[in-house]
Amino acid sequence: MDLALQPEDIDFNNNEILFYKQTTVKRKQINFKIDTTKSASSARRVVVTPLVMEKLKALMKRLDDVRKQFKFKIEEKYLFVYLEPHKRGVPFRREYVNHHIKRCVEQCGINKPFHTHLTRHTMASLVAGHCDWKVLKARLGHTDKTTSEIYRHLTSEERLKPLEAFQILEN
């Protein structure tokens, strides 16, 4: 979950999101800092569906509208932020997002534990049958620790195959 995502991390021309950083928080939300991802392989470009890009554009427009009406605590633009006056514009804490999702899941009557990291497993299961294992590993930002194999260059066609799984759900 990339709560450090900023508008410049979105490549609308190629339908890609660049993941290379994360937020870390000590005590209060306003005391966050931006760090690099846990490992070099975690930094990656992930191709997404046009629907995801539309939703990101809508979110960015809405945040720009709110920014025109209210003062934000920080100048940098982040996509997933608090809107309460005392922390407006500060990136969400991971715990806040997990707690919110947990409440939503419970309200739906689902009695299983849930947190945002599970969405990675869901995505992997969903697209596994639609692409090569190397494509999936690259999408997740994983490396195979049992070999020294370096990811070969992924062709555009291979990189787009995981989107078939999402487009099936969207239609």
Side-chain angles (χ1 to χ4, degrees):
M1 172 176 46
D2 191 349
L3 298 175
L5 201 60
Q6 295 180 279
E8 58 267 22
D9 302 328
I10 311 296
D11 179 349
F12 288 102
N13 293 326
N14 295 307
N15 287 359
E16 291 180 331
I17 302 174
L18 175 60
F19 296 100
Y20 67 98
K21 57 191 174 183
Q22 61 186 355
T23 58
T24 56
V25 180
K26 298 255 185 200
R27 295 183 187 95
K28 294 185 177 187
Q29 289 90 343
I30 197 75
N31 297 331
F32 76 95
K33 70 177 193 169
I34 302 297
D35 287 329
T36 57
T37 53
K38 295 177 195 173
S39 66
S41 66
S42 296
R44 64 208 183 275
R45 289 183 160 277
V46 175
V47 66
V48 297
T49 66
L51 178 64
V52 170
M53 297 310 261
E54 286 175 33
K55 299 296 183 186
L56 287 171
K57 280 182 188 176
L59 173 62
M60 289 174 11
K61 183 186 180 324
R62 181 66 182 124
L63 285 172
D64 284 343
D65 292 345
V66 172
R67 219 175 244 287
K68 290 174 187 172
Q69 291 182 317
F70 301 100
K71 181 160 177 50
F72 277 40
K73 291 286 184 186
I74 57 174
E75 289 299 314
E76 297 89 5
K77 292 182 177 182
Y78 293 94
L79 298 184
F80 305 108
V81 297
Y82 295 100
L83 295 177
E84 294 89 356
H86 63 285
K87 53 187 171 182
R88 188 176 290 129
V90 175
F92 289 142
R93 289 180 74 146
R94 178 175 287 117
E95 296 83 10
Y96 170 81
V97 175
N98 278 323
H99 180 70
H100 179 75
I101 291 174
K102 182 180 177 184
R103 282 194 343 246
C104 291
V105 167
E106 287 171 357
Q107 288 175 352
C108 291
I110 300 170
N111 296 318
K112 292 185 177 186
F114 188 87
H115 50 84
T116 54
H117 188 74
L118 290 177
T119 60
R120 288 174 57 84
H121 297 280
T122 301
M123 186 279 299
S125 297
L126 180 64
V127 301
H130 296 272
C131 66
D132 183 86
W133 173 239
K134 291 178 184 179
V135 173
L136 182 58
K137 286 192 328 184
R139 189 172 181 87
L140 290 167
H142 287 182
T143 57
D144 186 349
K145 294 180 179 164
T146 61
T147 69
S148 60
E149 176 188 38
I150 296 172
Y151 289 117
R152 64 182 169 82
H153 179 71
L154 301 174
T155 66
S156 295
E157 196 172 297
E158 285 177 317
R159 292 180 62 235
L160 294 176
K161 284 185 181 181
L163 299 184
E164 294 171 12
F166 295 109
Q167 289 169 333
I168 289 168
L169 290 176
E170 292 173 0
N171 292 327

